[in-house]
Amino acid sequence: MISKLKNLAKRPTLRSQLLMAFMLMSVLPLVAVAFSSYLTIRSEMIAQTRDNLSENIRKSNIIIDTRLSVFDNASEMMNIDRQLYDIFSTIDREDELSIIRANRLIQKILIQYVSWQDGKYSAHLVTSYFRFGEENKNFYPPGSFEGSPIDIAAKEGKGAMVWVPTYDYLDMFGIEGLRDIPVDYHRLFSSARQMNLSTIVNGSVRKMPSNIEQPVLVINFTEDYLISLLQEYSSPDNLDAASFAVMTTGGHIVCASEEKNGISLRGDTSWLAQIPAGKKNGSLLATVDGQEMVIAYTVSDLTGWVAAIALPSRSFLNAVTGRVMAITIPTAILLALMSFGLSSVIARRFSQKVLRTLKTIEEVGEANFDAQIQYDPQDEFAFYYSRVNQMGANIKNLIHENYEVRLRQKDVEIMALNIQLDPHFLYNTLNIINWTALDEDAERTSEIIVALSRMLQYTSDNSAETTVLADDLEWIRQYVSIMALRYEDKFTVEYDIPQCMMEMRVPKLFLQPIVENAIIHAFKDMQTGGRLVISGMRFEDEALFSVEDNGTGMSPAQVQATMEYERSSIGIRNTDRRIKVLYGQRYGVGIYSEEGTGTIVTVSLPNTGLADEPTALLPPSSNKST
Amino acid sequence: MKKRILAVLVCLMMVALCACGSSGSSTPPANSTGTAPSAGGASTAPPAADEQVEITLTFWGSPAEKAAIEASCATFMEAYPHIKVNSMHIPNDDFLTKLNSMIAAGNAPDISYSAEWKCQMGKDGLIYNFYDLIDQDPEMSVDDYLETCWWNWSPTESAGPIMANVAPGLMYNADMFEELNVELPPTKVDEAWSWDEFVDVAKQLTLDVNGNNAHSPDFDPGNIKQYGVQFANTWISYMPFVLSNGGYYLNEDMTEFALDQPDAAEAIQRIADLINVHHVSPSAVQRSSMPAPATALQSKQIAMYVDGSWNHLDLAEAELNWGVGVLPIDENYTTFFDGGSLIIFKSTQHLDETWLLYKWITNPESSKEITDMFQSIWLPVHTKYYTDQAEIEFWASEDLPARPKGFQDAVVHATYENQVRPTEVNVINFNQIDTLVASALDQVWLGEKSAADALAEVKVNADPLVEGTYFGDRS
């Protein structure tokens, strides 16, 4: 697969090149426009969200401040409550009944001032000896309130309302044993005021005697209360993803909404440092927990705490991305498909134009040179087609020149030869010469003519490729006798061929070129004493004939030349080729020669042709007749 | 070239779409038009689904009860999509004040939790007579309910049956018993402790900071680390002892206050003695620096707590090894179920929908949330849930987390078989009288006066308020 791709990359097809070109031209501009419009919308949306959130948090903080300031105002009024003044100025802290009775009254008074609907968790007037107010809420172990951070803050406030950001209640008051118990006051934030009870009697202010312990008003709130207020009043339409928090400017969390999508303002408050000094409202872009957030903030005039609403920018940008993608992706796919289709169509049309010539080329290949491509002269490929047609015509001319012309020439030559070598005409002529020679007592001439006549009869009688060895040897004897007359006493011929080989079939005249070669070449420098031995041997799988002479011999180069198309020895080469054609490559002619000593030419043939006459040389196992 | 033009066109189109989209807002979810499942059968056909009505429920209760009520209102709204329930949780202490201000402002809720003060509202014609409402619903009958559970302001006018019962009982932290090798409280009435046995156990369970128990001569009552018992010090925890001891709230003629009588005062005095004589129970002042009783039980500051069964849910959620026992009353065991009723204000504009909500909340089988309530914090008010063992198992199986072992004996059977009409339900002007009594008893709990003396003093102010009982029987 990969190699296929690599191959494609190296040698891109026409279609893939077209496809690439179309894709580049269509998809790239699409992506570029989509991206730029995304960027524009993105910055616009961020700006819009910042404004939106700022306005939101500012308004909700006003509402929250109003809600919380109820307690501030109410507790101010409590300071001059006549009944409270009376209760605390007459309370006997040693008398439990007095305390309990005071508590019943104070519970009712507290309800009037800090009523149920303002979302407080509890409200108590706390003294070192008793916690006045609601029962079954949070409690202060004996002695734990005095000197606690809330108490200290209230005292430092010198009568002003102080706000204590969320704290661990159990730690604050050293409560043991409730750590694992689900009480609803584990985490509270509080407002506290050191009460300074006084009353006006007959037009004059009467202060509480300094020896009477003034209570501290502690109003407790749960984180949930504040966060639910924030969420209730500042949740704009689609801000499910918004996180809320209230914290001190130092980053101490008063409350924070639940973690949403892995983001909570509870953890990372480093963005607080980005708020310009003295700025009460605003918005900023910050990275919280690795996410880009739009954070709008406002600083409360009442508590001095920072209320913040944060929205991960991806929460509203996802919609933009989604919308851009919703259009870009289908369009890109559509364009890609169109590119694919168009490139396929164009590539196919192009190939069709080219492939149209294929049939014609094939026909030309099958020698139908008259095949022509039919085409419209207006076609853009007309020039190409005309060239292909031209090529067919040219090939036809070439063939005509090189092949047909020569064939005809050969036919003419053969006809001429046939006429010249009419065998009957030759026999008759030779017969007349023979009789004439006998009439004139030219016996030797008659012998030559008879031998020649027999030789001719043998060669022309039988057009078969092979013959029996006896017939072929007889022809050789006639040939040798004629040659012996020609080269008087120059050589003798001996035959050493077992009788059993005489019936085997051999290629006609297979020994003649070898004998001729020996007589003409080997003995050419000898006047007398030339000796030629023709022998035959049978082996298990071949019959081997040899023609051995004691003539001049040949150098290795001459031997090689003889075997390789040396003109003077063309007969030997032909014999070798005939044998190889008839019987296979393992058979053929071999020449072994030594200069000055002589030459042995061997002819190996398959040991066949005597199947009907088994010899002792054949192994009994291959004896098919038994 | 053609494709390039096309691409540009598509891009332009897309930009236009984006621009439009960014200024628009998401579409609101389609109005759900699902049909309501039958919740014990709706007697009234719901109006057209597009006619949204809003009803207000005011209620009190612990955070757990608040969460459960809000959750059941949510499932109710799912079942009846055309009804929006505005559930307002008001802390118990502030409840009547808040409700009163709402009524005064002409902004009364449609349906509300209620205490004894509802009878006055009935007399004032502010709320519906439940008998009129139930008569119109063929699925419900007055006879289905426990006879003792009716809140009536006259023989023919009712503020409804108790919406869900609670019963006074003894709760304990079993680990504290085991640590001190003390036998657990009995769960059967036949085996109930006598008062003296109870005091003995409470003493064993009360330890000072040095680990001495209240039996020890070295016991230091000024530095107590863990208390044996705490009483809620409300009528619901002392009245069973008063009644069992032969005392009554009113005299035989039902013309006078009778808690000052010897049998009644004796029972109350015994409880006060736990604090001041035996030092096995914290005083009011000590309590102000202790967590709330259920939490104190969990944190091993008290071993036993006598109060209403509404505490069970808190205890169950704390995963505490806790249990329930019968009250330490070995003779004439007398107790009661108690509870508020849901009242429907005549000012409601949506009586049919309010009635549906009434049925939803009071039917233990209406929804999972309500069933959970009846399996943890509430006890049913229908008779069948006490007489048929299969029905008992439905809500009081001791396999349920808020139903500890022995619950069926100690709470279900002990209360059902020994119940009288609850004092609060029966005594006319109970709330006013009880306010006087509670104030007077402060002195008793603090040991400054005997119960007999303090109650005798109250009698002077209480007698003018005594107008007998709503049902005519002595209470």
Side-chain angles (χ1 to χ4, degrees), chain B residues 160-187:
Chain B
I162 289 170
M163 59 177 287
N165 276 327
V166 292
L170 175 70
M171 293 151 270
Y172 59 89
N173 182 332
D175 287 342
M176 295 170 77
F177 280 76
E178 277 158 27
E179 280 163 17
L180 295 169
N181 209 16
V182 178
E183 205 178 322
L184 293 175
T187 58

Side-chain angles (χ1 to χ4, degrees), chain A residues 438-452:
Chain A
L438 284 176
D439 280 349
E440 292 169 4
D441 292 330
E443 296 229 343
R444 285 183 62 182
T445 309
S446 172
E447 278 174 38
I448 291 169
I449 290 186
V450 169
L452 178 66

Side-chain angles (χ1 to χ4, degrees), chain B residues 6 36 65 92 134 222 263 303 332 340 356 369 381 393 401 420 475:
Chain B
L6 181 71
E65 184 167 353
N92 205 349
I134 199 171
D263 290 340
N332 188 27
L356 285 175
E369 286 74 16
V381 289
E393 288 297 327
V420 294
S475 197

Side-chain angles (χ1 to χ4, degrees), chain A residues 383-439:
Chain A
F383 179 70
Y384 170 66
Y385 296 147
S386 77
R387 283 304 157 107
V388 172
N389 286 348
Q390 184 71 51
M391 180 184 74
N394 289 348
I395 291 175
K396 192 179 170 186
N397 287 341
L398 278 171
I399 299 268
H400 183 74
E401 281 169 20
N402 288 289
Y403 183 75
E404 286 186 2
V405 171
R406 283 196 195 172
L407 269 184
R408 211 167 292 154
Q409 221 168 352
K410 279 262 156 82
D411 283 351
V412 172
E413 282 172 15
I414 286 167
M415 248 187 333
L417 276 174
N418 279 349
I419 294 163
Q420 285 167 4
L421 295 174
D422 185 345
H424 291 289
F425 173 73
L426 272 176
Y427 286 150
N428 293 339
T429 309
L430 285 174
N431 218 14
I432 291 165
I433 295 169
N434 185 30
W435 285 114
T436 309
L438 284 176
D439 280 349

Side-chain angles (χ1 to χ4, degrees), chain B residues 20 47 76 92 95 131 136 143 161 167 172 187 221 245 250 270 283 303 310-311 329 341-342 347 382 440 444 474:
Chain B
C20 296
F76 175 77
N92 205 349
F95 198 86
Y131 289 146
Q136 290 170 16
D143 300 331
Y172 59 89
T187 58
N245 204 38
L250 301 179
R270 282 173 178 167
S283 74
W310 59 82
N311 290 284
I329 298 169
S341 67
L342 275 173
S347 56
H382 296 79
V444 180
R474 189 181 180 192

Side-chain angles (χ1 to χ4, degrees), chain A residues 303-357:
Chain A
T303 58
W305 295 339
V306 181
I309 176 172
L311 200 56
S313 31
R314 71 174 157 78
S315 69
F316 55 89
L317 291 178
N318 276 356
V320 180
T321 318
R323 215 172 289 143
V324 171
M325 285 303 179
I327 293 169
T328 310
I329 289 175
T331 313
I333 290 172
L334 188 72
L335 288 173
L337 285 176
M338 283 166 62
S339 303
F340 187 79
L342 280 167
S343 58
S344 291
V345 168
I346 292 172
R348 189 178 315 141
R349 280 187 56 122
F350 184 78
S351 333
Q352 271 174 351
K353 297 239 181 205
V354 175
L355 289 177
R356 236 179 110 181
T357 61

Side-chain angles (χ1 to χ4, degrees), chain B residues 88-341:
Chain B
M88 268 179 80
H89 178 263
I90 303 169
N92 205 349
D93 292 343
D94 303 344
F95 198 86
L96 182 56
T97 319
K98 170 65 178 167
L99 188 64
N100 198 32
S101 79
M102 286 171 78
I103 294 167
N107 193 24
D110 297 279
I111 184 166
S112 177
Y113 274 31
S114 64
E116 192 270 344
W117 36 258
K118 80 192 81 176
C119 292
Q120 188 60 44
M121 289 183 179
K123 287 175 193 163
D124 294 345
L126 288 171
I127 58 174
Y128 275 106
N129 177 2
F130 188 83
Y131 289 146
D132 293 343
L133 299 176
I134 199 171
D135 277 352
Q136 290 170 16
D137 190 332
E139 292 170 4
M140 294 169 68
S141 164
V142 172
D143 300 331
D144 295 341
Y145 294 87
L146 294 175
E147 199 197 327
T148 55
C149 75
W150 291 91
W151 280 96
N152 286 14
W153 67 82
S154 85
T156 55
E157 292 169 298
S158 173
I162 289 170
M163 59 177 287
N165 276 327
V166 292
L170 175 70
M171 293 151 270
Y172 59 89
N173 182 332
D175 287 342
M176 295 170 77
F177 280 76
E178 277 158 27
E179 280 163 17
L180 295 169
N181 209 16
V182 178
E183 205 178 322
L184 293 175
T187 58
K188 288 185 161 50
V189 171
D190 298 346
E191 297 160 9
W193 284 328
S194 69
W195 185 262
D196 290 341
E197 285 170 326
F198 172 66
V199 171
D200 176 61
V201 168
K203 283 184 167 179
Q204 291 180 55
L205 292 166
T206 304
L207 300 178
D208 66 14
V209 288
N210 299 315
N212 297 315
N213 70 22
H215 283 299
S216 163
D218 299 328
F219 178 67
D220 176 8
N223 284 300
I224 293 173
K225 189 183 81 182
Q226 96 177 27
Y227 291 96
V229 66
Q230 180 177 331
F231 269 68
N233 285 5
T234 58
W235 70 272
I236 209 167
S237 60
Y238 63 70
M239 277 312 289
F241 295 91
V242 168
L243 295 167
S244 302
N245 204 38
Y248 285 94
Y249 209 78
L250 301 179
N251 70 357
E252 207 158 355
D253 302 340
M254 292 179 281
T255 54
E256 288 176 25
F257 179 71
L259 275 185
D260 63 323
Q261 296 304 301
D263 290 340
E266 182 188 35
I268 292 169
Q269 186 62 53
R270 282 173 178 167
I271 296 169
D273 287 350
L274 292 173
I275 303 168
N276 303 305
V277 176
H278 305 300
H279 304 292
V280 296
S281 191
S283 74
V285 174
Q286 283 157 341
R287 281 182 207 179
S288 84
S289 56
M290 283 169 64
T295 311
L297 202 63
Q298 291 164 42
S299 57
K300 297 190 177 176
Q301 294 182 54
I302 55 173
M304 292 185 283
Y305 182 51
V306 178
D307 195 10
S309 54
W310 59 82
N311 290 284
H312 293 176
L313 182 57
D314 287 340
L315 295 174
E317 288 188 345
E319 291 180 9
L320 163 78
N321 182 14
W322 64 290
V324 289
V326 289
L327 296 167
I329 298 169
D330 62 342
E331 278 178 41
N332 188 27
Y333 196 99
T334 307
T335 182
F336 43 80
F337 291 114
D338 185 47
S341 67

